[in-house]
Amino acid sequence: MREGSRVGGAVAAHPPMASWLFPIAVLVGCSTLVTTVQAQDLNSPPFDDLRRLVDQQQQQIRQMQDQLARLQQAAPSQSIPSEQASTSEAGFMLPSDPVKKPDDGKTAKPADQPYVVGSDLSVKSDFRNGLFLWFATPNNDFNMHIGGWTQFDNVWWNESPALKAAPGARPGHVPQGVANGAALGGIGDLQDGEYFRRIRLFFEGNFWGNGEYRIIPAFENDQFSTVGLDEFWFGATSLPVVGTVHIGHVKNAIGLEGDMSSSSRCMTFMERSAYSEAIELNQNFVTGIQLSDNYLDQRVSWQAVAFRPDNGSSSGVFFGDGQGGVQARLTALPVYENEGRDLVHFGISGGFRDGTTNNATSPFHVFQLRARPELRDDDPAAGGPAAVPNADSNRLIDTGPITAHDEFLLGLENLWIRGPFSFQAEYGWNFLNGAVGANPGLTAPFFHPAITPSQNYVFSGGYLQVAYTLTGENRSYDRRYGALDRYYYGKAGPYSNAWVIRDEDGNLHCGCGAWEVAARYSYVNLNDGTGLNRIQGGILNGVSLALNWYANDNFNVMLDWVYDQRDDTPTGPTLATSSPAGWTSGVGIEAQFQF
């Protein structure tokens, strides 16, 4: 572009070619007319000669007008947007003076100038997929999703008479002839009840392009002056080598069930399996640093965490010398077709832990594997019956506290989605190494009863489940993390929302939402060792059935029936010194609202 000239205090760009060729053509025509008249014979009739010359000049002017029109069509547009232009004293449209009008972030940049992250901070808001509220700048340099979810549970219980007895002391060499195991007596009389299983408010989004965060406090126990943490981290993505880094209270790199590697919003059953609670230590959150990445068009993913163990209230606070752990998970997606409607997933996870408590003068730590019935009758983070009258947080199977050197975990995963049908299974092992004693009260004496010589124990378990969506929707999968999607049927939700209206003729019209049926079998074995060194926490076999209704993106209802059988627990000469076998069964209804 040619350099402009200053007109009226503004920088004027020269007008387009078509606007200055036309006056030149008129001047040339007039000059030709004068020259021609001067060259005429003075004796010729003046008016006839003048008329003939005027006709010639009109023809020349028309020819030059045609030529100018062709030039206008061929020349590139040089128009100036009206919001960036002003009118000069000469009547031309001129660009505004850049000295007088500073860049407000909205002025178009030349094509070869790179975009500066954060240069446009204007914000727009919208609702996405129901009530999912988002705020974002035009180029998504900054965005925020504000939402939450709540789960309101009601439960009804029945159980075998022997299990209704209150739990007693821990077993030991004298009464039962084993080192440790399930508590004597029963687990208490399970009570019907209602409670808010989860009350979560979250803020998540991105900052400065590749920064990301997720802040989710857990408010369900605020009546006990306890506010826990769900995911509570910040980090960055699209980094070289490591891909993504999150720091804070993060999801552990373990497991496939919804509340393990994904979110409690997308669970098929009201509670996780006994396998996830016992073998995987109920450790779906840890506090530390998480690394993750994926490859081959997100067909392969991995996550790894280095952490200190989380305590029961999920506060993100822990103190203990020399204690911590690492955990890693690798997934593969050999089949992914029809936008995830058909897929096959395999996964493997493993980790190392130093334990959850320690003695300042000993390199040994305390480990404990245990599981409730696969339905709750307590407010889990409130501290059991001491905090909630008639509630029961006692475990159905339990190794008791064991003093040992360290612990290794290994888990296998499989997921198969074929349209509305899904199959999901996990199996894993917990290796407890260098056990030297039981620790009934987690206090001195630290090694009582003693385990001599030191022992290595292996506990194992797993589950398998099938589900079928009667209305045809398929489970959604998150390829970035090799996990189930946080939205059960994806952000598109059910094919049809649930609704009922009556038209002007009195006829009813309705939509049904999505309906799903599911079944799960669980197995956990917390027995290992021989003689006086045997750990006998019991064996659990469980069956769960579910009917789930998803009215829309925001509201769903779950109906569960759960049956758990406990066997092979420590026995003594009388019932008072036994951990009796028995069963529990429960029916639960959960209503979940999320936004």
Side-chain angles (χ1 to χ4, degrees):
M1 181 180 291
R2 292 186 175 88
E3 184 176 346
S5 58
R6 186 165 296 276
V7 180
V11 177
H14 290 296
M17 183 185 298
S19 59
W20 52 263
L21 281 178
F22 187 79
I24 292 176
V26 173
L27 292 175
V28 171
C30 293
S31 174
T32 305
L33 175 61
V34 173
T35 304
T36 306
V37 170
Q38 290 175 347
Q40 295 299 318
D41 187 350
L42 295 177
N43 294 324
S44 299
F47 292 104
D48 291 343
D49 294 338
L50 182 61
R51 187 180 298 111
R52 184 171 57 255
L53 291 173
V54 169
D55 291 340
Q56 291 176 354
Q57 297 309 314
Q58 288 178 341
Q59 184 178 1
Q60 291 178 355
I61 290 173
R62 283 195 298 269
Q63 291 175 350
M64 299 193 75
Q65 286 176 332
D66 293 340
Q67 183 179 2
L68 290 173
R70 288 193 297 270
L71 290 173
Q72 285 178 325
Q73 294 176 357
S77 173
Q78 300 182 21
S79 59
I80 301 172
S82 58
E83 68 272 13
Q84 299 179 19
S86 61
T87 304
S88 73
E89 294 176 350
F92 298 122
M93 295 297 292
L94 304 175
S96 300
D97 189 345
V99 176
K100 294 184 177 181
K101 184 179 180 182
D103 184 7
D104 61 358
K106 299 181 181 179
T107 305
K109 305 293 190 300
D112 59 348
Q113 182 175 339
Y115 169 70
V116 178
V117 174
S119 60
D120 188 347
L121 296 180
S122 58
V123 176
K124 293 184 178 180
S125 62
D126 65 338
F127 288 105
R128 304 179 188 176
N129 311 105
L131 297 179
F132 308 129
L133 179 61
W134 282 86
F135 298 91
T137 58
N139 295 290
N140 262 329
D141 299 339
F142 295 85
N143 60 58
M144 174 182 287
H145 175 200
I146 300 177
W149 73 97
T150 183
Q151 297 168 342
F152 178 58
D153 288 14
N154 278 262
V155 294
W156 295 265
W157 283 100
N158 195 11
E159 63 189 309
S160 58
L163 289 184
K164 291 184 178 181
R170 289 285 174 192
H173 290 171
V174 176
Q176 294 177 315
V178 297
N180 214 340
L184 307 179
I187 62 171
D189 189 3
L190 301 177
Q191 301 292 302
D192 304 339
E194 65 180 16
Y195 54 95
F196 284 94
R197 180 66 174 89
R198 294 177 179 89
I199 303 174
R200 310 286 165 91
L201 180 66
F202 69 80
F203 305 86
E204 63 181 1
N206 296 86
F207 59 96
W208 293 112
N210 70 327
E212 57 184 6
Y213 61 93
R214 184 171 292 153
I215 306 298
I216 310 179
F219 295 110
E220 55 264 25
N221 294 289
D222 61 342
Q223 67 268 40
F224 305 108
S225 299
T226 299
V227 176
L229 302 178
D230 194 286
E231 295 182 74
F232 211 92
W233 50 259
F234 56 89
T237 188
S238 301
L239 300 175
V241 183
V242 297
T244 297
V245 176
H246 293 160
I247 300 173
H249 199 251
V250 298
K251 279 290 184 180
N252 200 356
I254 188 172
L256 183 60
E257 289 193 271
D259 197 24
M260 294 301 293
S261 56
S262 183
S263 170
S264 61
R265 294 185 293 165
C266 65
M267 297 174 65
T268 304
F269 298 91
M270 290 173 60
E271 299 294 342
R272 286 167 301 199
S273 66
Y275 161 76
S276 295
E277 188 170 12
I279 303 303
E280 295 185 332
L281 306 173
N282 197 28
Q283 205 168 62
N284 53 337
F285 296 106
V286 291
T287 305
I289 182 170
Q290 179 194 70
L291 309 178
S292 64
D293 206 352
N294 56 76
Y295 312 97
L296 303 177
D297 191 26
Q298 298 185 322
R299 293 297 189 101
V300 175
S301 73
W302 64 270
Q303 305 91 46
V305 290
F307 60 90
R308 288 193 172 93
D310 201 13
N311 58 27
S313 60
S314 294
S315 65
V317 178
F318 178 83
F319 293 93
D321 292 339
Q323 296 178 68
V326 293
Q327 181 77 30
R329 178 172 177 261
L330 175 67
T331 71
L333 199 61
V335 177
Y336 187 86
E337 300 174 349
N338 302 322
E339 297 181 344
R341 191 164 170 81
D342 298 295
L343 65 84
V344 175
H345 157 106
F346 294 102
I348 183 171
S349 62
F352 165 85
R353 285 155 181 76
D354 266 342
T356 56
T357 61
N358 77 317
N359 186 305
T361 61
S362 171
F364 297 97
H365 307 285
V366 175
F367 302 84
Q368 186 170 9
L369 283 68
R370 55 185 184 168
R372 299 174 175 90
E374 293 171 304
L375 199 62
R376 303 290 176 88
D377 79 328
D378 72 320
D379 196 353
V388 183
N390 300 321
D392 187 353
S393 61
N394 295 307
R395 270 54 173 185
L396 188 61
I397 55 174
D398 193 344
T399 65
I402 304 171
T403 304
H405 191 274
D406 53 50
E407 179 181 43
F408 287 87
L409 275 64
L410 175 64
L412 303 176
E413 311 167 6
N414 178 231
L415 172 66
W416 175 34
I417 294 177
R418 178 74 173 177
F421 172 81
S422 67
F423 170 84
Q424 181 177 327
E426 295 186 71
Y427 200 89
W429 299 263
N430 191 303
F431 302 89
L432 196 59
N433 300 318
V436 295
N439 186 15
L442 296 179
T443 58
F446 198 69
F447 306 129
H448 177 75
I451 298 176
T452 55
S454 65
Q455 300 286 303
N456 297 330
Y457 297 101
V458 180
F459 308 107
S460 65
Y463 72 89
L464 58 85
Q465 72 179 51
V466 293
Y468 189 83
T469 303
L470 303 175
T471 46
E473 293 88 344
N474 62 278
R475 290 294 310 270
S476 185
Y477 182 85
D478 184 352
R479 292 195 293 166
R480 180 183 177 187
Y481 293 110
L484 295 166
D485 200 306
R486 291 156 57 84
Y487 301 99
Y488 199 82
Y489 292 119
K491 294 182 180 179
Y495 289 160
S496 171
N497 289 343
W499 52 273
V500 177
I501 62 171
R502 188 181 297 276
D503 63 19
E504 58 185 8
D505 298 324
N507 300 317
L508 288 177
H509 300 271
C510 64
C512 64
W515 289 83
E516 179 190 46
V517 292
R520 177 179 67 192
Y521 167 71
S522 301
Y523 169 81
V524 177
N525 186 346
L526 297 186
N527 293 339
D528 196 25
T530 59
L532 295 181
N533 291 336
R534 182 169 176 80
I535 302 296
Q536 198 157 329
I539 296 176
L540 180 145
N541 288 275
V543 176
S544 302
L545 302 177
L547 174 64
N548 303 324
W549 175 51
Y550 295 84
N552 46 51
D553 293 316
N554 308 105
F555 180 70
N556 66 279
V557 177
M558 308 175 74
L559 173 63
D560 281 14
W561 174 77
V562 175
Y563 176 90
D564 290 309
Q565 174 73 37
R566 180 176 83 170
D567 295 300
D568 200 9
T569 53
T571 58
T574 66
L575 183 63
T577 57
S578 298
S579 303
W583 55 266
T584 66
S585 69
V587 174
I589 297 178
E590 179 177 281
Q592 174 177 269
F593 176 74
Q594 61 176 317
F595 63 95

